[in-house]
Amino acid sequence: MITKEISKAKEVLINNQLVAIPTETVYGLAGNAYSEMAIKKIFELKKRPYFNPLIVHIKSISSLFEIATDIPETAYMLAEKFWPGPLTLVLKKRSHISDLITAGKETVAVRVPNHPLTLALLNEIDFPLTAPSANPFGSISPTSAQHVFNYFEKELDVILDGGECEKGLESTIIGFENNKPILYRHGSIAAEEIEQVIGSKIGMKTVDDQAPNAPGMLTRHYAPMTDTYLTDNITEFIKDFEGKKIGLLLFKDAVTDHTIIRQEILSSSGDLHEAAKNLYAAMHRLDQDKLDVIIAEKFPNEGLGKTINDKLERATKKE
Ligand code: TXA
Ligand code: MG
């Protein structure tokens, strides 16, 4: 059921079952972070490999000490600046945090999501929520209750409807190595914004965020079912697909070619925030069109353009 009533979500969570929750980034598939049963269900429902750890969602920065310990000063600075918001911190875990959540690591990923419904829900329950994005492993992340419904209509009793996600891209993940911040995943907060707060360039280790400790594992992710490509020269690239049903994913300008079936323009004014917000919904629409091919164009490689390019590269990765 799609509902706005947090009491319904609360009831389900207390019974160790799962609900979909809205956040400002993407919808999450949430369970009680202190229930092994709920955690296992998340992995099963998503068909997610157990080596891929989950994020713990807390109601405020004051709950952080329940989850993590040995917190670097820089982590506090970032949390104070960006929480509630699309920043995930990877910190040393407290011993009671389940190894299932952390995939056996000594660190745990944690954030305070910025959505009124989910914050209200977190304030109604006495446990944190662990939640990956509410999509089957490897597929496009959901940015509306309807997207979640399309994936998990049968499996989920409660989908909490908080409207369209305001940011539309996952949180930015920052870890610490030798007390220095490292960017693990490009997300809704541009690397440049993080650098402004920490006062220096940030190191990056984003090679494969789906399998940080499993070299050579699949990097394909956020992927439509339709064959999808990424190019920096769209007009040249489409020539190779003459006679095919083509859909395009574009930044600001349409392509003049009447044979193209759908053109998704993410921001006609060239605003990267607007483009980010629209990206996944456009990918979902293109994927439903039963096209032969989706062709995306590369974004300017700055600010959120870097995050969008990162997602598009993973979505088009040929293995
Ligand atoms: O915006 C978001 O972060 C959304 C919403 C629902 O909060 N959640 C989300 O979760 O994107 P998920 O499971 O799709 O991505 C979690 C990422 C994974 O790439 C995982 O590898 C990384 O977090 N992660 C979790 N724990 C980690 C850890 N201890 N060390 C390094 N990476 C970690
Ligand atoms: Mg995900």
Side-chain angles (χ1 to χ4, degrees):
M1 159 210 337
I2 296 183
T3 177
K4 291 187 181 355
E5 283 178 56
I6 56 173
S7 59
K8 293 229 164 62
K10 182 179 171 182
E11 197 184 310
V12 170
L13 288 166
I14 286 171
N15 288 318
N16 300 310
Q17 306 295 318
L18 309 182
V19 302
I21 54 166
T23 84
E24 78 284 30
T25 59
V26 299
Y27 275 71
L29 182 62
N32 178 350
Y34 295 150
S35 158
E36 294 277 303
M37 193 176 144
I39 302 165
K40 280 190 187 143
K41 280 200 182 123
I42 292 175
F43 283 94
E44 278 163 25
L45 194 52
K46 261 192 83 103
K47 299 201 167 53
R48 177 171 174 127
Y50 277 99
F51 62 70
N52 193 358
L54 305 175
I55 297 173
V56 175
H57 296 70
I58 54 175
K59 61 182 172 214
S60 73
I61 193 168
S62 59
S63 306
L64 184 57
F65 76 97
E66 289 170 33
I67 311 295
T69 179
D70 300 354
I71 301 164
E73 198 47 45
T74 315
Y76 273 118
M77 265 168 61
L78 289 167
E80 258 154 31
K81 167 83 185 170
F82 293 111
W83 283 356
L87 168 75
T88 293
L89 295 172
V90 174
L91 301 167
K92 188 162 189 294
K93 80 174 187 99
R94 286 210 178 261
S95 56
H96 68 273
I97 301 295
S98 166
D99 284 336
L100 285 173
I101 289 183
T102 67
K105 290 157 161 304
E106 283 308 303
T107 51
V108 60
V110 56
R111 83 180 190 98
V112 182
N114 190 14
H115 192 289
L117 266 190
T118 293
L119 284 173
L121 175 63
L122 282 166
N123 275 296
E124 284 270 320
I125 52 182
D126 56 6
F127 46 84
L129 291 174
T130 190
S133 50
N135 52 285
F137 184 69
S139 58
I140 309 164
S141 303
T143 54
S144 70
Q146 186 62 44
H147 291 158
V148 182
F149 185 84
N150 294 346
Y151 283 137
F152 296 122
E153 177 190 355
K154 290 198 191 72
E155 295 87 350
L156 282 182
D157 287 340
V158 171
I159 297 170
L160 205 50
D161 186 358
E164 262 176 53
C165 299
E166 182 199 328
K167 302 285 180 192
L169 291 174
E170 284 83 351
S171 60
T172 300
I173 305 184
I174 309 281
F176 296 85
E177 295 180 16
N178 303 318
N179 256 341
K180 281 214 162 65
I182 309 279
L183 192 135
Y184 287 150
R185 178 173 76 182
H186 287 289
S188 273
I189 302 172
E192 291 90 332
E193 285 180 77
I194 304 280
E195 288 171 342
Q196 264 181 11
V197 176
I198 62 176
S200 61
K201 283 264 167 208
I202 190 162
M204 298 200 187
K205 282 197 184 169
T206 61
V207 191
D208 188 349
D209 72 353
Q210 291 310 300
N213 274 344
M217 299 301 292
L218 231 56
T219 50
R220 185 173 155 84
H221 204 67
Y222 315 105
M225 309 296 283
T226 314
D227 199 16
T228 304
Y229 295 86
L230 181 62
T231 174
D232 44 23
N233 190 341
I234 207 108
T235 40
E236 274 304 308
F237 200 86
I238 51 178
K239 289 182 185 157
D240 290 346
F241 295 90
E242 225 187 278
K244 301 263 189 216
K245 280 189 257 166
I246 303 174
L248 300 180
L249 192 57
L250 304 165
F251 180 23
K252 51 183 160 57
D253 299 313
V255 168
T256 342
D257 181 337
H258 65 275
T259 67
I260 308 271
I261 294 188
R262 183 194 285 275
Q263 303 202 37
E264 288 284 353
I265 293 156
L266 297 188
S267 172
S268 50
S269 64
D271 175 0
L272 286 169
H273 285 91
E274 186 182 27
K277 181 177 175 172
N278 291 329
L279 175 67
Y280 290 148
M283 282 166 74
H284 280 283
R285 281 193 295 271
L286 285 163
D287 209 17
Q288 278 162 6
D289 273 352
K290 307 230 177 315
L291 301 162
D292 295 321
V293 62
I294 299 170
I295 304 169
E297 79 177 338
K298 276 208 182 119
F299 278 63
N301 217 29
E302 59 187 28
L304 284 185
K306 267 194 204 129
T307 304
I308 296 174
N309 284 338
D310 178 75
K311 306 297 175 195
L312 289 174
E313 271 154 26
R314 289 173 200 278
T316 54
K317 184 128 183 135
K318 306 285 179 244
E319 234 42 65

